[in-house]
Amino acid sequence: MGRVVLKFGGTSVGTIEKIKKTADQAIREFEKGNQVVVVVSAMGKSTDRLVDMALEISDHPSKREMDMLLSTGEQITISLLSMALHEKNYEAVSYTGWQAGITTEAIASNARILDIDTETIQDALDKGQIVIVAGFQGVSGDGEITTLGRGGSDTTAVALAAALEADKCSICTDVVGVFTTDPRYIKNARKLSRVTYDEMLELANLGAGVLHPRAVEYAKNYRIPLEVRASHETEAGTMIEEEMTVENTKVVRGIAFEDKITRVTIHWDKKENMRVSKVFTTLADHNIDVDIIIQGITGLGHGNLSFTIKTKALLETLAVLEEHQETLQYAKLESEQNLAKVSIVGSGMVSNPGVAAHMFEALTDNDVAIKMISTSEIKVSTVVDEKKMIKAAQVLHDRFELED
């Protein structure tokens, strides 16, 4: 007997008809002789509707109360899916995140999973039940309901797969797998049959929305075989694994892009006043994520520090920096919005020099100005004008011949 974890996102359970199809897919796995755990998100746009209702009451609702509110969305889905399985004469039981034993940090709206007590789930599986678990949520050590942030249901599924020592975790979504880039915008994007954990982690961190980075981290750390496949379809998806055995001929394997990026620049009149470490410590203390970083010293002895953030974090970032201006000793703050990040990713880049040069040449030749650059062993990221984002992605997809 094997053990599998299936995860279905909001669009896959957005209607009663789709919930019934999700039940059928769980049954197919169960009939193969597997123990089955299904992790689900809230139905369709229900989370957005809950957020809208909260914002009608307050422009800045309590994060604790938002967790209380948003956690209800998944509870609707798990109960309906369990009912659908009962109607098909299969034993099923639904659990909220805290009933499933998921303990998290005591951080509202973006908690990390600390531990999973699998006893309750294991008892249900041993009784022959299909177990339905609410994604995106858990409980802190002091009993507070918490949510896991964007992509939290992916993280729930992979963490459960690790805790249960599952044979496979399948992320069932509205695409048939992982593509060389987003096929909604780049028409000649191609589905990959396999991709490494490291490549998928970079793609996820750089804006590819098919998987959340935390989920990939769990899969990599615990060596969980991870599949991305279409919901309610039988077509094979993309396997995410440690080493590539086939289809490793391309130096660049994928293009990721993300809009709504803002560059913040801090200026100091004297380089001696620069407090770079304190800047990032201060931002980290307020849970503000910083991405690409560039530090500069002018010939006149002035200093500057630029970094990118998500645009939605701009007001909070500026407020925090202004509050600590005396400590940070800077002279001026600037910000530039309407930017985007476009990146190339590929494990083959480690042993192939000159890839970055080809990237920069392709963008420059096609009138895409590069504002910032960041590199690692398997990726190169550039910041460009938001209006040039899709053009840049298409240019790079063509230059590195990813459609073949």
Side-chain angles (χ1 to χ4, degrees), residues 331-345:
K332 184 174 63 172
L333 282 179
E334 290 181 335
S335 62
E336 182 182 3
Q337 301 185 49
N338 300 316
L339 300 177
K341 183 170 59 176
V342 181
S343 310
I344 58 174
V345 175

Side-chain angles (χ1 to χ4, degrees), residues 231-400:
S231 303
H232 318 139
E233 301 287 344
T234 57
E235 179 182 346
T238 299
M239 288 303 303
I240 301 166
E241 55 195 2
E242 180 62 25
E243 299 292 340
M244 293 298 300
T245 54
V246 296
E247 202 185 303
N248 198 24
T249 58
K250 299 289 187 183
V251 174
V252 174
R253 301 265 294 150
I255 310 292
F257 48 90
E258 181 179 13
D259 61 2
K260 296 181 174 60
I261 300 295
T262 291
R263 174 170 61 183
V264 175
T265 302
I266 306 175
H267 297 274
W268 285 269
D269 289 337
K270 297 179 181 180
K271 63 181 180 182
E272 293 82 7
N273 291 340
M274 295 180 71
R275 300 291 186 268
V276 174
S277 63
K278 287 187 178 180
V279 168
F280 296 117
T281 299
T282 301
L283 295 174
D285 287 344
H286 290 80
N287 296 309
I288 295 172
D289 291 327
V290 172
D291 190 11
I292 298 175
I293 302 168
I294 296 177
Q295 179 181 338
I297 305 293
T298 71
L300 298 175
H302 300 165
N304 58 73
L305 177 71
S306 294
F307 55 87
T308 60
I309 57 172
K310 296 185 187 301
T311 298
K312 65 181 180 181
L314 177 59
L315 293 180
E316 182 180 6
T317 301
L318 295 179
V320 168
L321 293 174
E322 289 168 359
E323 180 184 351
H324 293 84
Q325 182 174 9
E326 184 175 345
T327 301
L328 301 176
Q329 298 185 32
Y330 65 84
K332 184 174 63 172
L333 282 179
E334 290 181 335
S335 62
E336 182 182 3
Q337 301 185 49
N338 300 316
L339 300 177
K341 183 170 59 176
V342 181
S343 310
I344 58 174
V345 175
S347 55
M349 292 167 59
V350 175
S351 55
N352 286 272
V355 176
H358 286 302
M359 177 187 191
F360 303 151
E361 180 182 58
L363 293 176
T364 301
D365 288 349
N366 286 273
D367 193 32
V368 178
I370 300 170
K371 294 177 177 286
M372 300 177 78
I373 298 169
S374 175
T375 66
S376 74
E377 286 188 333
I378 66 169
K379 65 95 174 172
V380 181
S381 294
T382 58
V383 175
V384 302
D385 285 332
E386 194 172 69
K387 62 186 178 182
K388 296 287 186 72
M389 179 181 72
I390 300 302
K391 178 181 180 180
Q394 184 70 70
V395 163
L396 295 174
H397 197 271
D398 294 342
R399 173 61 65 95
F400 292 106

